[in-house]
């Protein structure tokens, strides 16, 4: 019962984790413009893995997709690949996990086969979660480096040193910070990893139930060298009084034993 509950909970958490990674991959707010001490608030820009968007103060939003692949940074392409691999592994693991559920009866499938399928699904969920977390963390590292080394041109303020106060003396270069998609991806990847661990633990419980021994009665075959013992009790002697009598009163030679 505990193994079944752990398997079902792991399956549900894994589905939620895969949904979180899919949502994070499709969102455009991976990097959002930092509005702290920014005098220009009429235009707000943000970008994701597939689009770059600009939102005006009037509420009008315009998104432009990345029309090139070779012109994109290598790290952005690596993040795309990691997120897609995580989604594919999670989808395959979910498909396998459906057929491995112990609460569902499908044909004459044995428990040891379901345990193996549960372990396979758990490993795929683990790998998918690791890929999702790795992709989001790599993009977050890119944002941190860009935020730290972004300067204001023409004598503006620089974190590495420079003149001007607040960047008002030169052209302003916007700086980006973490967007909501990063947190969705982190949470989804973590939930997917937890679901994979629970599936692996459920596999351990299912395999122990499948290998349970049956305590039956041992049967020992008889040996070929069987020794027959004689009965030590003396048998009673034959009594002539039990002989049959003929019609003329003489005893017959026929003997009858009455038990």
């Amino acid at each position: 019962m505990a193994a079944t509950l752990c398997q079902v909970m792991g399956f549900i958490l894994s589905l939620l984790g895969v949904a979180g990674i899919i949502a994070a991959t499709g969102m455009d707010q991976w990097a959002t413009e930092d509005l702290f001490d920014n005098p220009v608030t009429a235009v707000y820009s943000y970008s994701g893995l597939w689009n770059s968007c600009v939102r005006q103060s009037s509420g009008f939003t315009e998104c432009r997709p990345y029309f090139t692949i070779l012109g994109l940074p290598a790290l952005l392409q690596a993040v795309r690949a990691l997120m897609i691999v995580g989604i594919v592994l999670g989808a395959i693991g979910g498909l396998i996990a459906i057929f491995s559920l112990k609460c569902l009866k499908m044909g004459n499938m044995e428990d040891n086969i379901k345990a193996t399928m549960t372990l396979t699904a758990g490993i795929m969920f683990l790998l998918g979660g690791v890929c999702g977390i790795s992709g989001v963390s790599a993009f977050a590292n890119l944002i941190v480096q860009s935020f730290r080394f972004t300067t204001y041109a023409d004598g503006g303020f620089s974190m590495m040193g420079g003149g001007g106060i607040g960047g008002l003396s030169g052209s302003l270069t916007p700086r980006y910070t973490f967007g909501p998609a990063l947190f969705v991806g982190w949470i989804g990847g973590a939930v997917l990893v937890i679901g994979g661990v629970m599936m692996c633990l459920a596999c351990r419980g299912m395999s122990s139930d499948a290998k349970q021994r049956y305590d039956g009665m041992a049967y020992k075959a008889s040996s070929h060298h069987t020794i027959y013992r004689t009965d030590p009790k003396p048998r009673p002697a034959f009594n002539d009084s039990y002989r049959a009598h003929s019609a003329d009163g003489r005893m017959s030679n026929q003997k009858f034993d009455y038990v």
Side-chain angles (χ1 to χ4, degrees), residues 56-181:
Q56 300 180 1
S57 59
S58 60
F60 178 74
T61 302
E62 180 182 3
C63 294
R64 181 180 181 183
Y66 303 133
F67 294 104
T68 180
I69 297 178
L70 299 179
L72 295 176
L75 184 58
L76 181 60
Q77 298 181 6
V79 172
R80 282 182 174 183
L82 286 173
M83 299 304 291
I84 293 175
V85 169
I87 293 173
V88 171
L89 289 176
I92 296 176
L95 184 62
I96 297 175
I98 292 176
F99 293 98
S100 65
L101 290 176
K102 195 174 181 180
C103 57
L104 297 179
K105 300 296 182 181
M106 295 184 181
N108 296 326
M109 188 178 297
E110 299 180 356
D111 290 341
N112 55 353
I113 299 178
K114 286 192 174 184
T116 305
M117 295 176 65
T118 302
L119 179 61
T120 304
I123 293 175
M124 286 190 173
F125 286 147
L126 281 172
L127 294 178
V130 170
C131 289
I133 294 175
S134 300
V136 175
S137 300
F139 196 90
N141 184 40
L142 178 63
I143 293 176
V144 170
Q145 293 180 357
S146 176
F147 184 87
R148 181 176 299 176
F149 297 106
T150 298
T151 60
Y152 295 110
D154 298 333
F157 176 77
S158 173
M159 296 188 66
M160 306 299 294
I165 299 176
L168 299 179
S169 61
S171 60
L172 185 65
T173 301
R175 293 190 293 189
Y176 291 88
T177 184
F178 296 163

Side-chain angles (χ1 to χ4, degrees), residues 16-31 47-52 66 76-90 128-129 131-136 139 179-189 192:
L16 294 177
V18 172
I21 293 180
I22 293 175
T25 305
M27 293 176 65
D28 293 329
Q29 295 181 346
W30 281 64
S47 61
L49 298 180
W50 316 100
N51 299 318
S52 178
Y66 303 133
L76 181 60
Q77 298 181 6
V79 172
R80 282 182 174 183
L82 286 173
M83 299 304 291
I84 293 175
V85 169
I87 293 173
V88 171
L89 289 176
C131 289
I133 294 175
S134 300
V136 175
F139 196 90
L182 295 180
F183 300 100
V184 174
W186 273 321
I187 295 174
L192 186 57

